[in-house]
Amino acid sequence: MQPFVYSRAEDAAAALRNGNASLPSAVESANQYLAGGTTLVDLMKLNVMRPRMVVDINALEKTAAQIELGAQGLRLGALARMSAVADSADIRKNFPVIAQSLELAASAQIRNMASLGGNVLQRTRCIYFRDTSYPNCNKRTPGSGCAALEGINRMHAVLGTSRDCIATYPGDFGQALIALDAQVEVQGQDGKRAFPFAQLHRQPGASPHIETTLKEGELITAFTIPALPFAKRSLYLKIRDRSSYEFALASAAVALDLEGDKVRDVRIALGGVATVPWRAADAEARLKGKGLDDQTLTEVANAAFAGATGHGHNDFKVELGKRTLTRALKQAAAMEIPT
Ligand SMILES: Cc1cc2nc3c(=O)[nH]c(=O)nc-3n(C[C@H](O)[C@H](O)[C@H](O)COP(=O)(O)OP(=O)(O)OC[C@H]3O[C@@H](n4cnc5c(N)ncnc54)[C@H](O)[C@@H]3O)c2cc1C
Ligand code: SF4
């Protein structure tokens, strides 16, 4: 691990002063915030991230870890721990997809440490990104090529890829946020702003090292989830190689508004198969106004993966993703909704 300066920020203003590095955060040596450290410290030990300064933001927990549920919806502080949110009885009842996406992630120990803000900013698990003995990784070293294209790419993405990077976005919580129309609140040197969570992540295109639309040094402060009338009929289905402590091969976060046996409204987000938390808007449009019969579900799943491209080892993800989505929609339709 490369030596670095450690600084503990007592409030957001202090965090922003140090977090606002003179280099873009995509550069490996840019300053980094430290929340739970479960991604950052791993990558520092691997020499993949080599920040000059680490700004510990855990003192902000006093003000930025609240879980607030009101008539307008749910507000989750970015420093809230994954386990605290997953264990909340109110969230489990009213926003099940949120609780499930967190509960099915990582391990109990990691969920106790890891924050929501750090979760959505976790980096890809692409083996070539995490192993610096491979020189060709455009995400780690821009312009160096992509080892995964010709290498082992079983875990890689089939949606949102580019010639320069096919790395999968590994998280689960991000899909739940998209399925419930969440907004993200951020604070930077220019003040505060909020925008749809679906706009936080960037597809790789020709610059895979730039992963988000955050401005230099911006701090994520909270996530807000509106009181969608059908948030109670939402779920997260995660398919993986083993049933715990494993990243998704394919996942689906769905929320369903039913009128009798017809779908009045729906949200669909896919994980494990795409370079960013992926909203399947075409699939949603196909399902609105229809029943959940087998033919419709086949059309919906085909629409969700219409632009999918496999790269050899991961070809199976197209069919697996379709089946995961179909099963998630059927399970959501069959849910008993608590009053
Ligand atoms: C073995 C293992 C298995 C895992 N399995 C899963 C899984 O199945 N599903 C899943 O979703 N995740 C999984 N994870 C990832 C885990 O959930 C993340 O490591 C964790 O959520 C990151 O949160 P953190 O608070 O520890 O972030 P940190 O490591 O502290 O920070 C991560 C990044 O986010 C930045 N950051 C942190 N907070 C903020 C903020 N408020 N504003 C701006 N920037 C910020 C940091 O600068 C850093 O770049 C796994 C991790 C491990 C180690
Ligand atoms: S898929 Fe992306 S992260 Fe993985 S080696 Fe290629 S450029 Fe690097």
Side-chain angles (χ1 to χ4, degrees):
M1 186 190 285
Q2 177 176 280
F4 60 93
V5 175
Y6 171 85
S7 138
R8 185 171 167 87
E10 293 305 323
D11 55 33
L16 291 172
R17 266 197 306 279
N18 284 330
N20 198 42
S22 53
L23 295 165
S25 56
V27 174
E28 61 184 12
S29 57
N31 294 0
Q32 292 290 326
Y33 294 122
L34 176 76
T38 61
T39 284
L40 180 63
V41 177
D42 262 11
L43 291 173
M44 287 171 67
K45 286 188 195 160
L46 292 168
N47 264 327
V48 172
M49 291 177 81
R50 293 185 286 168
R52 291 179 306 187
M53 180 186 281
V54 167
V55 183
D56 186 338
I57 54 173
N58 284 285
L60 277 58
E61 204 166 356
K62 296 187 284 280
T63 52
Q66 274 87 357
I67 299 172
E68 298 164 84
L69 181 60
Q72 302 300 311
L74 179 63
R75 186 170 187 281
L76 300 171
L79 261 292
R81 304 296 152 172
M82 291 170 71
S83 54
V85 178
D87 292 348
S88 156
D90 282 338
I91 296 176
R92 296 173 85 86
K93 178 179 169 192
N94 296 301
F95 303 91
V97 67
I98 296 278
Q100 291 162 9
S101 70
L102 292 165
E103 191 172 37
L104 293 172
S107 65
Q109 292 89 341
I110 290 171
R111 294 193 295 272
N112 284 340
M113 284 293 292
S115 68
L116 300 185
N119 182 281
V120 300
L121 295 181
Q122 65 181 283
R123 313 287 306 272
T124 183
R125 309 302 288 195
C126 171
I127 48 176
Y128 304 105
F129 171 72
R130 293 172 64 87
D131 184 343
T132 55
S133 68
Y134 290 95
N136 43 344
C137 170
N138 288 322
K139 195 182 274 298
R140 182 162 34 77
T141 310
S144 61
C146 171
L149 284 171
E150 303 298 328
I152 298 169
N153 51 42
R154 177 174 181 271
M155 295 299 286
H156 286 69
V158 294
L159 290 167
T161 57
S162 73
R163 284 188 316 183
D164 292 316
C165 182
I166 58 170
T168 306
Y169 173 78
D172 297 296
F173 175 53
Q175 284 73 257
L177 290 172
I178 288 185
L180 295 183
D181 295 347
Q183 297 258 318
V184 56
E185 295 179 1
V186 303
Q187 188 172 354
Q189 294 286 357
D190 303 335
K192 298 179 180 179
R193 66 189 180 109
F195 55 92
F197 177 80
Q199 294 171 10
L200 176 64
H201 292 89
R202 289 176 81 252
Q203 292 181 35
S207 49
H209 58 296
I210 305 174
E211 295 175 352
T212 72
T213 55
L214 289 177
K215 295 181 193 158
E216 193 46 40
E218 268 183 332
L219 194 60
I220 297 179
T221 50
F223 304 93
T224 53
I225 296 129
L228 273 187
F230 53 99
K232 278 185 184 172
R233 191 180 290 283
S234 66
L235 65 78
Y236 189 67
L237 179 63
K238 178 172 178 179
I239 305 299
R240 43 192 165 167
D241 280 327
R242 56 183 179 196
S243 60
S244 104
Y245 203 19
E246 188 54 275
F247 291 90
L249 287 168
S251 71
V254 300
L256 264 186
D257 183 9
L258 294 179
E259 188 172 32
D261 59 359
K262 294 273 191 302
V263 175
R264 187 162 38 201
D265 207 353
V266 59
R267 300 284 183 281
I268 297 172
L270 304 174
V273 291
T275 51
V276 293
W278 188 266
R279 179 152 185 195
D282 290 348
E284 292 172 4
R286 290 267 173 160
L287 191 51
K288 279 185 201 168
K290 308 259 180 64
L292 288 145
D293 55 88
D294 286 346
Q295 190 188 331
T296 302
L297 287 173
T298 301
E299 287 171 15
V300 168
N302 287 340
F305 284 85
T309 314
H311 302 276
H313 303 121
N314 68 349
D315 291 348
F316 74 99
K317 281 196 176 185
V318 177
E319 184 59 26
L320 182 68
K322 289 180 184 178
R323 293 186 190 194
T324 304
L325 173 56
T326 303
R327 192 182 344 153
L329 289 167
K330 282 185 176 170
Q331 285 184 2
M335 279 171 74
E336 301 269 341
I337 303 302
T339 47

